[in-house]
Amino acid sequence: MPRILPIAKRGDPILQQRAQPVADIHDPAVQALLDDLLLTLEASSGVGIAAPQVFVSLRIIIVASRPNPRYPDAPLMQPLAMLNPEILWQSAATCTGWEGCLSVPDARAQVIRATRLHMRYLDRQGAVVEAAFDGFIARIIQHECDHLDGILFPERLPAQTPILTEAEFQQAIRGSTHEPVLKQ
Ligand code: K1U
Ligand code: ZN
């Protein structure tokens, strides 16, 4: 039976480590971890999760975009597991958009990310996949890949960038009709 796993919080050393590649995708423990990550993500209402967030230092992420108040046009996708993901290319063009983190509770900020990515990863059957992603999905992938390298989104913020509480964030997005700012 899949389990909902506890989430590591900022300050825990596991979130600062570089995670190890998955050696054997067919290992039953790896397949069970994927099921646990999917259930934990569903239970947390997040749009992504990385294995170090559940105290497992392996290079596994799940991406599960869905429309939300700040990204009403975000695609609704089936959760996508990426094992040993690699960013092959990222656009020079960036955009600024709101992020939160299950490991950094009650904090939201606007983070600058590349708008478009070319990725290589293994799917849960072990097939090598190369694919392009953009917009909110590319943002989630960059956030989750940062977790694999021990980076949390506050470390991506230029000095003086405000970090809002959830209540302040809700107020800010209620008063805003702007889409994420694109920069070429
Ligand atoms: O990895 C995580 O900690 C999950 C995180 C992923 C993420 C959210 C937003 C942008 C990039 C990556 C979350 O799911 S936080 C909760 C959430 O659903 C959300 C927060 C802010 C904006 C949109 C969604
Ligand atoms: Zn996070």
Side-chain angles (χ1 to χ4, degrees):
M1 276 291 273
R3 299 163 303 158
I4 298 174
L5 302 174
I7 304 279
K9 297 296 185 308
R10 190 181 193 185
D12 195 296
I14 195 141
L15 295 173
Q16 292 158 13
Q17 291 166 18
R18 185 177 159 80
Q20 294 301 306
V22 178
D24 178 8
I25 276 132
H26 306 291
D27 180 341
V30 170
Q31 292 293 322
L33 172 62
L34 289 168
D35 291 334
D36 290 348
L37 281 167
L38 288 165
L39 189 63
T40 305
L41 178 57
E42 193 182 312
S44 66
S45 301
V47 292
I49 196 166
Q53 292 183 280
V54 297
F55 297 92
V56 179
S57 196
L58 284 175
R59 300 188 78 78
I60 300 175
I61 67 173
I62 312 261
V63 179
S65 164
R66 57 179 163 74
N68 60 76
R70 189 60 193 94
Y71 299 94
D73 301 327
L76 176 62
M77 64 188 283
Q78 286 299 311
L80 173 63
M82 298 176 150
L83 297 94
N84 299 341
E86 295 170 72
I87 300 176
L88 299 177
W89 173 87
Q90 65 180 55
S91 62
T94 58
C95 63
T96 304
W98 288 103
E99 295 193 15
C101 181
L102 302 175
S103 298
V104 188
D106 203 26
R108 300 287 168 111
Q110 291 194 289
V111 185
I112 301 167
R113 301 282 191 188
T115 56
R116 192 167 169 81
L117 305 175
H118 291 175
M119 298 296 300
R120 181 190 294 142
Y121 60 93
L122 301 173
D123 68 16
R124 72 178 293 171
Q125 284 77 40
V128 179
V129 180
E130 288 194 10
F133 299 91
D134 60 13
F136 188 53
I137 298 178
R139 174 172 299 280
I140 300 168
I141 292 172
Q142 289 169 84
H143 178 114
E144 302 310 333
C145 285
D146 270 356
H147 277 302
L148 304 184
D149 293 332
I151 298 167
L152 297 175
F153 82 88
E155 295 155 41
R156 289 282 183 201
L157 303 175
Q160 315 302 332
T161 307
I163 300 182
L164 275 53
T165 64
E166 178 65 32
E168 291 167 335
F169 167 72
Q170 292 299 336
Q171 188 135 20
I173 63 169
R174 260 200 301 276
S176 158
T177 54
H178 298 294
E179 288 302 305
V181 179
L182 272 174
K183 193 168 146 254
Q184 296 301 325

